[in-house]
């Protein structure tokens, strides 16, 4: 990419011939590039397991000392205790005759307010969402390409981690720091890693990890998440490589804002047009440390978001087995 991107609309940026996978898996498809993860890909993931070490990638929900990290405008989860020993001690709940007590609680949260899978119809431009479904199928609930079909299917395959922060000798990439396709491939080469077709691509920036070490006001100042920057060759590479799933440790998986005013154009080019599943807001630091220690950057990746009907996203705790 030469020079800053100054397009002011997604249409202008992507043009009329941006690569798409619409129709590739039929007129009724709702899981897009996850279709690439067939049984052979599951076995390829299993074959990458060496030590049996397990890593969970979700950030915690509802830590009392630290509100959950969320995209500006969303609010962190609120967990409310609905029943506990205190209710009995205060006489607010009648004592059951058999002597049992219990605890209950509830959570109010954005479906995308934690580590999460985006539904393929979560983000669009023009009047169509993934696979050409009309944009008005999102009114009230996502009638097509909600997160439910992804949740019902599950996601299993070979994961490959590219540690961009480590490649640049940083703990964390800076606000608005871009990652081009060339940067990604150079970091993979420097790690000695080959990204193979149909790999689940996991990119570490250190961003979400830094949230837990940073004052909230500092974390949200000059808000522009680092990440992949749009280029036509990046989109073509995703399509040619048949990448089913992009996973990162940022809240929205890509560079947030562009000088011309664009926001999250890869949500449109990759998710809406190619059907690439987005897994956002992962905690990757411990996994990256383990990979750097024994220089093995590939593993079995498994995940299934919660089955929430009609939802534009759903929390998930991906599990990686090395
Ligand atoms: C936005 O929609 C802003 O981001 P995300 O995909 O993280 O939910």
């Amino acid at each position: 990419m030469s020079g800053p991107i100054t397009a002011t609309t997604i249409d202008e940026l992507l043009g009329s011939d941006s690569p798409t996978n619409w129709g590739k898996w039929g007129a009724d498809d709702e899981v897009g590039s996850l279709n690439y993860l067939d049984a052979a890909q599951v076995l390829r993931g299993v074959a990458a397991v060496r030590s049996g070490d397990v890593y969970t990638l979700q950030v915690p929900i509802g830590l009392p000392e630290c509100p959950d990290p969320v995209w500006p405008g969303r609010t962190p989860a609120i967990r409310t205790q609905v029943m506990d020993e205190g209710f009995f001690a205060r006489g607010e709940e009648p004592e059951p005759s058999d002597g049992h007590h219990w605890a209950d609680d509830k959570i109010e949260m954005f479906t995308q307010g934690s580590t999460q899978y985006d539904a393929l119809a979560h983000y669009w431009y023009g009047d169509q969402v993934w696979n050409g479904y009309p944009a008005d199928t999102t009114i009230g609930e996502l009638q097509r390409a909600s997160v439910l079909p992804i949740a019902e299917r599950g996601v299993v395959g070979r994961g490959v981690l590219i540690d961009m922060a480590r490649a640049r000798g940083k703990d964390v990439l800076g606000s608005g720091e871009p990652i081009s396709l060339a940067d990604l491939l150079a970091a993979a080469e420097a790690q000695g890693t080959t990204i193979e077709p149909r790999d689940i691509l996991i990119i570490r920036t250190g961003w979400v990890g830094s949230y837990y070490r940073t004052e909230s006001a500092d974390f949200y100042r000059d808000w522009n998440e680092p990440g992949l920057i749009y280029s036509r060759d990046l989109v073509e590479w995703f399509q040619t490589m048949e990448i089913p799933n992009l996973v990162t440790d940022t809240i929205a998986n890509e560079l947030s804002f562009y000088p011309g005013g664009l926001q999250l154009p890869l949500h449109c080019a990759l998710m809406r047009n190619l059907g690439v599943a987005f897994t956002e807001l992962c905690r990757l630091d411990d996994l990256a440390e383990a990979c750097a220690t024994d220089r093995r950057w590939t593993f079995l990746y498994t995940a299934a978001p919660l089955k929430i009907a009609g939802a534009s996203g759903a929390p998930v705790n991906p599990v990686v087995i090395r």
Side-chain angles (χ1 to χ4, degrees):
M1 179 62 54
S2 55
I5 294 173
T6 54
T8 57
T9 66
I10 303 289
D11 262 331
E12 186 191 343
L13 180 73
L14 305 191
S16 55
D17 63 344
S18 194
T20 90
N21 287 331
W22 289 10
K24 180 167 183 157
W25 297 286
D28 290 328
D29 178 77
E30 298 183 294
V31 298
S33 292
L34 292 179
N35 283 292
Y36 291 131
L37 294 178
D38 55 14
Q41 299 311 313
V42 174
L43 296 178
R44 207 166 61 83
V46 169
V49 176
R50 296 280 179 278
S51 57
D53 299 327
V54 174
Y55 292 82
T56 59
L57 306 187
Q58 191 197 347
V59 297
I61 294 174
L63 284 179
E65 68 278 11
C66 176
D68 303 344
V70 286
W71 183 264
R74 295 181 181 147
T75 46
I78 299 171
R79 193 188 63 80
T80 307
Q81 200 72 20
V82 175
M83 182 57 59
D84 58 28
E85 185 65 10
F87 287 78
F88 297 100
R90 294 189 298 271
E92 291 169 17
E93 180 68 23
E95 204 50 64
S97 58
D98 66 358
H100 80 270
H101 286 182
W102 71 97
D104 263 354
D105 49 12
K106 63 178 181 180
I107 289 185
E108 185 183 346
M109 67 181 292
F110 277 78
T111 57
Q112 311 201 35
S114 183
T115 308
Q116 116 258 174
Y117 268 80
D118 281 347
L120 291 185
H122 157 55
Y123 207 94
W124 66 94
Y125 64 111
D127 54 8
Q128 289 167 295
V129 303
W130 159 249
N131 219 27
Y133 303 126
D136 61 12
T137 58
T138 64
I139 295 174
E141 63 168 343
L142 301 193
Q143 293 152 37
R144 304 308 309 258
S146 79
V147 79
L148 186 60
I150 293 177
E152 285 171 336
R153 184 189 189 287
V155 182
V156 182
R158 191 180 94 136
V160 56
L161 175 66
I162 307 300
D163 191 342
M164 287 304 309
R166 195 173 299 265
R168 291 181 177 167
K170 298 178 172 182
D171 287 339
V172 53
L173 301 190
S175 172
E177 187 169 335
I179 302 168
S180 68
L181 175 61
D183 295 336
L184 182 74
L185 299 182
E189 195 177 345
Q191 282 181 194
T193 309
T194 305
I195 304 172
E196 295 180 1
R198 303 194 175 191
D199 275 346
I200 294 166
L201 177 60
I202 304 173
I203 301 175
R204 176 176 174 270
T205 66
W207 187 252
V208 162
S210 78
Y211 172 80
Y212 296 95
R213 308 188 294 272
T214 312
E215 284 297 322
S216 184
D218 292 334
F219 184 75
Y220 285 106
R221 185 172 300 123
D222 300 326
W223 178 258
N224 191 3
E225 291 197 299
L228 288 174
I229 185 168
Y230 171 85
S231 67
R232 174 75 182 220
D233 61 347
L234 177 79
V235 178
E236 288 173 352
W237 181 84
F238 266 82
Q239 188 179 42
T240 307
M241 291 292 285
E242 302 184 341
I243 300 296
N245 192 178
L246 173 65
V247 181
T248 81
D249 61 351
T250 63
I251 294 174
N253 263 10
E254 57 171 305
L255 182 72
S256 314
F257 304 116
Y258 291 63
L262 296 176
Q263 176 178 316
L264 305 179
L266 290 175
H267 274 56
C268 296
L270 299 181
M271 184 199 298
R272 183 243 197 209
N273 289 352
L274 297 186
V276 175
F278 275 26
T279 316
E280 299 168 324
L281 232 165
C282 288
R283 192 88 198 248
L284 298 177
D285 301 338
D286 291 348
L287 174 62
E289 198 57 42
C291 293
T293 300
D294 61 10
R295 307 208 60 74
R296 282 195 299 116
W297 300 91
T298 59
F299 36 74
L300 177 65
Y301 171 98
T302 71
L306 296 180
K307 297 180 182 179
I308 308 179
S312 49
V316 66
N317 185 9
V319 177
V320 159
I321 306 166
R322 302 181 70 243

